[in-house]
Amino acid sequence: MSLVRYVKLRVPAGTAKPGPSIGQSLGPLGINMSEFCKQFNEKSQSIFKKDVPLSVRLHAMSDRSFSFDLKTPPTSWLIKQVVGMEKGPGSPNINSPSGFITPEAVYEIAKIKQEDEIMELVPLQSICRSVIGTCRTLGVVVREEDA
């Protein structure tokens, strides 16, 4: 039972179902799609709300078994939820921002992102800077709320 390869997927929490998007990644590895969907839905429903997009890193083994790790939702998705955007702008412009976010919300998003295994040793301040950079790419300006 040796590792064949890693596969990265983006799957909505609690609603994974066997289909072309998952099948194209898992089919060549011989992994049972319905079993993956069943395990993924069980694991993700208890942690996240339904339909939250999650990154999944699947470890495919030579005997057609698998294991997987769940990651937090993408930073851009979290920002869009806070700001109330459906999708990002075609061409972000700081002069005409598409939304505003408070430093407190940036801090909360950074705390969520710190739960990822890869980010556990990264200082929270650095993660906040990364979130602010993602805000800029979405045309969202970080500022205090007006009183």
Side-chain angles (χ1 to χ4, degrees):
M1 182 170 100
S2 63
L3 178 71
V4 174
R5 83 174 186 209
Y6 294 109
V7 178
K8 290 184 180 181
L9 302 166
R10 174 126 338 132
V11 187
T15 59
K17 49 187 171 256
S21 60
I22 295 174
Q24 289 175 352
S25 299
L26 302 186
L29 300 171
I31 293 175
N32 186 342
M33 286 185 290
S34 59
E35 183 61 30
F36 166 75
C37 292
K38 179 181 164 193
Q39 288 183 25
F40 173 81
N41 289 337
E42 286 174 8
K43 192 171 182 180
S44 65
Q45 272 182 327
S46 62
I47 303 171
F48 298 99
K49 291 181 182 176
K50 198 171 186 177
D51 289 329
V52 172
L54 300 176
S55 296
V56 180
R57 186 172 182 192
L58 184 114
H59 315 267
M61 305 299 177
S62 59
D63 64 349
R64 296 188 177 193
S65 64
F66 63 90
S67 62
F68 60 91
D69 301 321
L70 294 179
K71 296 187 177 187
T72 57
T75 306
S76 58
W77 185 86
L78 292 168
I79 293 167
K80 287 188 271 188
Q81 293 299 304
V82 170
V83 175
M85 298 168 60
E86 285 293 316
K87 63 179 199 166
S91 57
N93 186 355
I94 296 296
N95 298 328
S96 60
S98 54
F100 298 97
I101 191 168
T102 63
E104 292 82 12
V106 169
Y107 175 76
E108 291 301 321
I109 291 171
K111 282 193 349 190
I112 291 169
K113 294 305 289 181
Q114 195 175 32
E115 293 173 15
D116 277 345
E117 186 178 313
I118 198 168
M119 298 290 233
E120 63 187 20
L121 299 176
V122 177
L124 195 58
Q125 185 178 8
S126 298
I127 299 171
C128 286
R129 286 185 187 141
S130 174
V131 171
I132 290 169
T134 305
C135 287
R136 284 191 192 126
T137 64
L138 291 171
V140 175
V141 175
V142 180
R143 71 172 188 191
E144 291 289 334
E145 286 187 41
D146 296 331

